[in-house]
Amino acid sequence: MRTLRLLLGDQLSDQATSLSDIAPGDMVLLAEVMEEATYVPHHKQKLVMVFAAMRRFASRLADRGVAVRYVGLDDPANTHSLAGEVLRALSEGGFDRVVVTEPGEWRLVRAFERLAVQAAVPVEVRPDTRFICPRPVFEAWADGRRELRMEFFYREMRRRTGLLMDGDQPVGGRWNFDAENRKRLPKGMRPPKRLRIVPGPVVQAVVRLVEQRFAGNFGDLDGFDWATSHDEAEALLAHFLDDILPGFGDWQDAMKGGEPYLWHARISAALNIGLLDALDICRRAEAAYRAGRAPLNAVEGFIRQILGWREFVRGVYWLKGEDYLAGNALGADRRLPWFYWSGETEMACVRDAVGTTRRHAYAHHIQRLMVTGNLAMLLGVHPDEVNLWYMSVYADAFEWVEAPNTHGMAIFADGGVVGSKPYAASGAYINRMSDYCAACAYDVRLKRGEGACPFNVLYWDFLIRNAPRLDANPRLAMPYRAVHAMRSDHDAIREEAEALRAALGAVVRQPQGGR
Ligand code: DLZ
Ligand code: SF4
């Protein structure tokens, strides 16, 4: 039995199930293909990271004596699809079956189903065991529940893994220490210095390739310092656990102009492409707490992101099926303003979030949720445009994780599958959690009129406009009391918001197909 083992660009792990029973005579296929490089217009750094990590992982396998078939983007025979490359390898003969680990999005699930029909040998798709919660376990947990709530799932996962547990009780007597994790940065407080990963020859070669072939894509390449090997990812993780984790909890939701990383781990991209292991990360964070090197609010908050949130969104993505992204619960119908790409806006918070995104293919969760996501939702931007942007611009974006986070959590287009309420906020929230407003052309204290922070009037307009859908939500009872108390202002607010939407370029979208 000679097996062709297809390994995707986000499956670069020795634990990949497609490699588990590798035998002499087998071959591992990795292929750089235009179909994957263009299904969304990826940030240049994301392209470099994926291609460089694929090349380095292929070398690592080859060094260990594994036969590798590596198809480069510039290979003249390249068919430019993953299925095409499998068929081409099969046509060159000698394989009895194809094995692949399940991909991270429905588009490729369907492509591999078609491949199985076309191929002359069996195509076996195996579960992706790099996640802590197997899909059947999530499905069983979700079965019969009226609502899927991360917090309850997370507790199950704590019990299942024993992470941060004292017997059957949560360490510290509480499951969740989030109430302690919403601090503003004290004035003058400097975030820790970050480890910089110096690009080696493989990265440099791929940078040249991407500059040449994807010159028009979004993003700078100058500051590229993503991990593209297991050793680099390990260095990033160790640096985080040793030097940064202790402050992660307190300032998890804080934002500061010109500071993209603050106390965030910046390991999501390496984790999502297979260079790190989720359970190992959680266990090592727990060990830091048990050894007294990091406080519980930091460690619990960090573990919850991986063991709770990350596993939960992945479960939701597969559970809800491929129609999940077709939902548009709030009837959003606007274009994404151009400044999401150019960064040219007077809104200091948005300018910083987009600038960081362009320079680093990264922004942290509060920038994504409460600045760019919140604004897109308040403006009523169509979910297809918002999803396309998030999928494109972040190095860690793969559909299983992007879709529930953006479509569900950030813009509530799923009507409440992921979150129990829309995360809509006025400028007051951004002002409380950042130093942006002091340096902004707009005045966050002005609710309306010339020079007022756009988030303010858009926030009230959002609530008024969506009252038929959201008024009955108990978690929005407080803001809706205020909405009802200002009934005489509703028309003026709606008019002003509409003018603002037009001025910002959030114009009504012409109907078009999906992505
Ligand atoms: C993101 C990406 C890119 C840019 N290029 C490739 C590629 O050329 N070959 C490949 O195997 N994988 C690539 N990937 C990752 C895939 O798009 C990813 O596996 C799917 O989106 C499923 O998560
Ligand atoms: Fe953002 Fe409004 Fe603050 Fe300006 S005033 S930084 S637009 S929240």
Side-chain angles (χ1 to χ4, degrees):
M1 171 77 88
R2 194 164 168 247
T3 305
L4 179 67
R5 298 171 185 274
L6 173 65
L7 195 67
L8 308 188
D10 57 352
Q11 300 178 340
L12 307 176
S13 162
D14 292 330
Q15 267 73 53
T17 46
S18 54
L19 304 181
S20 64
D21 49 354
I22 197 157
D26 289 356
M27 182 167 279
V28 177
L29 168 64
L30 292 107
E32 298 171 5
V33 294
M34 286 304 275
E35 199 165 271
E36 296 312 303
T38 59
Y39 66 88
V40 293
H42 302 284
H43 192 296
K44 286 178 189 164
Q45 291 192 18
K46 184 177 175 190
L47 291 166
V48 172
M49 181 188 75
V50 171
F51 292 159
M54 286 173 69
R55 290 179 184 196
R56 297 182 76 182
F57 191 68
S59 302
R60 174 178 149 127
L61 289 174
D63 288 347
R64 288 194 307 213
V66 174
V68 175
R69 177 183 171 101
Y70 195 93
V71 182
L73 201 72
D74 283 340
D75 184 331
N78 195 328
T79 58
H80 288 299
S81 79
L82 291 169
E85 283 313 294
V86 169
L87 291 173
R88 190 161 72 91
L90 289 178
S91 74
E92 289 169 23
F95 296 106
D96 304 299
R97 64 168 181 168
V98 176
V99 166
V100 62
T101 296
E102 63 186 348
E105 64 169 298
W106 284 106
R107 176 183 61 85
L108 283 180
V109 169
R110 299 301 177 223
F112 293 162
E113 284 168 3
R114 290 191 298 274
L115 172 67
V117 175
Q118 287 171 298
V121 297
V123 175
E124 186 189 334
V125 181
R126 295 180 175 173
D128 191 341
T129 54
R130 290 175 299 153
F131 290 89
I132 306 171
C133 183
R135 278 170 60 180
V137 171
F138 187 87
E139 282 157 20
W141 172 81
D143 192 35
R145 279 174 200 265
R146 207 169 44 85
E147 282 188 334
L148 304 178
R149 289 294 161 252
M150 191 282 291
E151 189 60 34
F152 299 115
F153 168 74
Y154 168 56
R155 292 178 194 177
E156 281 302 306
M157 292 300 288
R158 292 269 296 272
R159 291 193 187 98
R160 203 180 141 83
T161 56
L163 279 161
L164 290 181
M165 296 296 289
D166 278 338
D168 60 358
Q169 291 303 309
V171 168
R174 274 192 283 152
W175 294 102
N176 181 320
F177 288 78
D178 236 8
E180 294 167 34
N181 290 354
R182 300 193 183 115
K183 296 194 183 77
R184 223 196 122 108
L185 271 193
K187 251 201 160 61
M189 177 102 181
R190 309 272 342 146
K193 247 182 111 57
R194 305 302 294 232
L195 181 76
R196 235 193 99 64
I197 294 167
V198 182
V202 177
V203 169
Q204 287 168 12
V206 180
V207 164
R208 285 193 292 276
L209 172 81
V210 168
E211 281 293 22
Q212 213 179 18
R213 299 284 298 270
F214 302 89
N217 281 37
F218 176 76
D220 301 342
L221 275 173
D222 313 343
F224 182 94
D225 78 335
W226 292 103
T228 55
S229 72
H230 291 79
D231 289 348
E232 289 173 355
E234 173 54 36
L236 264 189
L237 175 62
H239 169 56
F240 171 72
L241 293 172
D242 293 345
D243 306 329
I244 296 164
L245 175 61
F248 172 80
D250 289 0
W251 299 297
Q252 198 184 110
D253 288 358
M255 297 177 280
K256 185 173 166 62
E259 291 289 352
Y261 305 127
L262 297 169
W263 282 261
H264 292 276
R266 204 165 67 105
I267 56 171
S268 51
L271 175 58
N272 291 352
I273 64 172
L275 302 182
L276 292 170
D277 178 71
L279 191 57
D280 172 61
I281 295 170
C282 293
R283 292 211 189 291
R284 287 164 63 183
E286 177 179 17
Y289 164 69
R290 301 256 185 208
R293 294 195 305 268
L296 186 54
N297 69 312
V299 173
E300 186 283 314
F302 176 71
I303 287 181
R304 177 156 29 86
Q305 296 302 324
I306 296 177
L307 178 70
W309 188 249
R310 182 172 186 270
E311 296 288 328
F312 177 74
V313 296
R314 189 242 183 183
V316 167
Y317 177 75
W318 292 115
L319 187 73
K320 290 296 161 187
E322 53 201 319
D323 292 338
Y324 179 73
L325 280 166
N328 186 0
L330 300 179
D333 62 353
R334 300 303 165 116
R335 300 294 311 266
L336 186 76
W338 181 244
F339 57 74
Y340 273 78
W341 300 102
S342 70
E344 286 166 13
T345 165
E346 299 284 334
M347 290 180 275
C349 54
V350 178
R351 197 170 56 233
D352 189 61
V354 173
T356 291
T357 303
R358 189 180 50 240
R359 280 190 299 280
H360 303 291
Y362 178 84
H364 69 68
H365 72 146
I366 295 298
Q367 292 173 305
R368 297 191 207 191
L369 180 67
M370 301 308 290
V371 178
T372 45
N374 181 28
L375 181 64
M377 180 170 69
L378 299 184
L379 287 169
V381 179
H382 193 283
D384 284 352
E385 304 215 354
V386 188
N387 286 317
L388 179 85
W389 187 77
Y390 279 89
M391 272 298 287
S392 307
V393 302
Y394 292 116
D396 53 19
F398 297 91
E399 199 173 89
W400 63 267
V401 62
E402 178 277 336
N405 270 302
T406 302
H407 195 77
M409 177 87 169
I411 61 170
F412 206 68
D414 68 1
V417 173
V418 167
S420 54
K421 63 161 190 170
Y423 276 78
S426 69
Y429 174 86
I430 295 170
N431 191 30
R432 189 162 64 245
M433 297 312 298
S434 76
D435 63 356
Y436 290 135
C437 301
C440 185
Y442 294 102
D443 189 339
V444 72
R445 291 160 308 181
L446 293 181
K447 297 279 169 276
R448 281 164 50 193
E450 188 70 21
C453 167
F455 283 83
N456 291 342
V457 75
L458 290 171
Y459 172 72
W460 293 111
D461 169 71
F462 172 83
L463 291 175
I464 296 165
R465 200 158 33 92
N466 287 296
R469 300 171 176 109
L470 302 175
D471 198 358
N473 184 325
R475 296 201 61 198
L476 295 175
M478 222 160 56
Y480 270 107
R481 267 199 294 281
V483 166
H484 296 313
M486 56 164 84
R487 199 174 300 275
S488 57
D489 294 339
H490 285 192
D491 288 348
I493 289 173
R494 296 202 62 169
E495 221 172 277
E496 191 175 326
E498 193 46 52
L500 193 54
R501 264 196 287 274
L504 293 176
V507 294
V508 176
R509 186 175 186 259
Q510 298 308 313
Q512 45 185 257
R515 277 205 181 137

